[in-house]
Amino acid sequence: MIIIMKPGASKEAVRHITDLIESKGLTAHLSEGTQVTIVGVVGDKTLLANSNLELADGVDKIVPVTESYKLVNKKFHPEPTTVQVGPTSVGPNTLTVMAGPCAVESREQLMETAFAVKKAGANFLRGGAYKPRTSPYAFQGLEEEGLKYMKEAREATGLAVICEVTSQRALEAAAKYVDMIQIGARNMQNFELLKECGRAGIPVLLKRGLAATIDEWLNAAEYIISEGNHNIVLCERGIRTYETSTRNTLDLSAVPVIRQKSHLPIIVDPSHATGVYSYVPPLAKAAVAAGADGLMIEVHPCPERALSDGPQSLTFSNFDGLMAELEPYAKLSGRTIAGKK
Ligand code: PEP
Ligand code: MN
């Protein structure tokens, strides 16, 4: 449940409420907006029976939160969250663009791509060092060597860098080298890994599972936030449907749905959603028009030689063209492209 304080309620009144909640063994989370303060209560609400909270000084009203996710719920935190990531941020007003290869394949491939995407206006470099491949015989990633190249690219370009982790071991290694951790679709419900990400404190990009509902996805985010890590960005990357023309089906409605249910930023990945490079630009534009806070786009110096996801990767010149075409869409959505500021 949430307790909405009256506009201008005194600090003492808020303090009285949080003390009362904590004295019953529950946790109080404060969300201090420009107008009102909201106190979120997490724990067994029956312990507050007979507390007459609604009669306490400064309390406007008590609203039950029926959803199982609480701290990621917009009811707890009505204002949109901006997630600070290394030298940049993800949130309202800007359009974040995370671009780079599916997998880090070599130092040269990564550095070349880093400079190209930076020049085109991306503010993040993406690159997988631990690849969750469908076949165990497919390229599995360079692991720590790949992370070192990511760090080097970060230092050379000033881009924030993001890398997927698939295990606790990978998380511990990646936290030393990158600005943001990606939890991929296949691990969206790896609850132990989510809790570890929560405890690690590093910003997390949480992709939607291949067959996850939006409520399951928000509950996965709740696993991270409930461990104390509030720096979470959601990523819609397509879901499994009966359609076979595309790798997945991009659920663009996730953007307004998430906007209504949660305060967390949401970005869209049209590369994994479609699996086809020529479908990426129209859906990237549609995602921006739908209100996404950013995009994740796969870019490779030579897609036909890529060790993974070549068919969906943009060449440097295609990416450059897309970034130019995105500008009016970003402007209409009231955003500036973060890397072009
Ligand atoms: C990726 O980003 O390279 C990836 C494997 O994405 P997803 O988890 O969305 O399939
Ligand atoms: Mn990929």
Side-chain angles (χ1 to χ4, degrees), residues 26-184:
L26 299 161
T27 314
H29 293 268
L30 274 195
S31 166
E32 287 168 299
T34 43
Q35 297 295 319
V36 293
T37 295
I38 293 176
V39 186
V41 186
V42 177
D44 179 4
K45 257 65 90 213
T46 57
L47 298 171
L48 284 169
N50 309 323
S51 294
N52 288 329
L53 279 171
E54 60 282 6
L55 301 179
D57 188 32
V59 171
D60 186 9
K61 57 181 177 227
I62 315 261
V63 181
V65 177
T66 45
E67 295 86 359
S68 50
Y69 49 88
K70 310 286 180 194
L71 301 177
V72 303
N73 200 312
K74 196 168 178 173
K75 288 180 190 154
F76 263 39
H77 190 291
E79 278 155 43
T81 286
T82 297
V83 174
Q84 196 64 41
V85 186
T88 187
S89 62
V90 188
N93 311 323
T94 55
L95 184 75
T96 286
V97 181
M98 303 182 179
C102 179
V104 181
E105 297 169 4
S106 68
R107 183 179 174 278
E108 295 64 37
Q109 171 243 22
L110 190 70
M111 295 305 272
E112 195 188 343
T113 311
F115 282 108
V117 300
K118 159 107 182 169
K119 189 156 171 269
N123 53 325
F124 273 81
L125 174 69
R126 64 144 285 145
Y130 301 86
K131 295 306 302 174
R133 305 303 300 282
T134 301
S135 162
Y137 308 116
F139 176 59
Q140 303 285 309
L142 295 182
E143 303 199 343
E144 193 152 357
E145 184 190 344
L147 293 172
K148 288 182 182 159
Y149 300 148
M150 289 296 277
K151 186 166 185 229
E152 191 180 341
R154 176 193 202 276
E155 277 156 18
T157 59
L159 290 166
V161 295
I162 173 165
C163 188
E164 175 170 2
V165 301
T166 47
S167 65
Q168 189 182 338
R169 180 181 67 87
L171 169 63
E172 279 164 20
K176 291 188 275 185
Y177 298 100
V178 299
D179 299 291
M180 189 176 214
I181 293 296
Q182 174 176 320
I183 295 294

Side-chain angles (χ1 to χ4, degrees), residues 102 126 131-132 164 182 184-186 207 237 272 296 298:
C102 179
R126 64 144 285 145
K131 295 306 302 174
E164 175 170 2
Q182 174 176 320
R186 289 154 194 81
K207 286 192 151 193
R237 47 78 71 206
H272 290 89
M296 174 172 265
E298 284 190 339

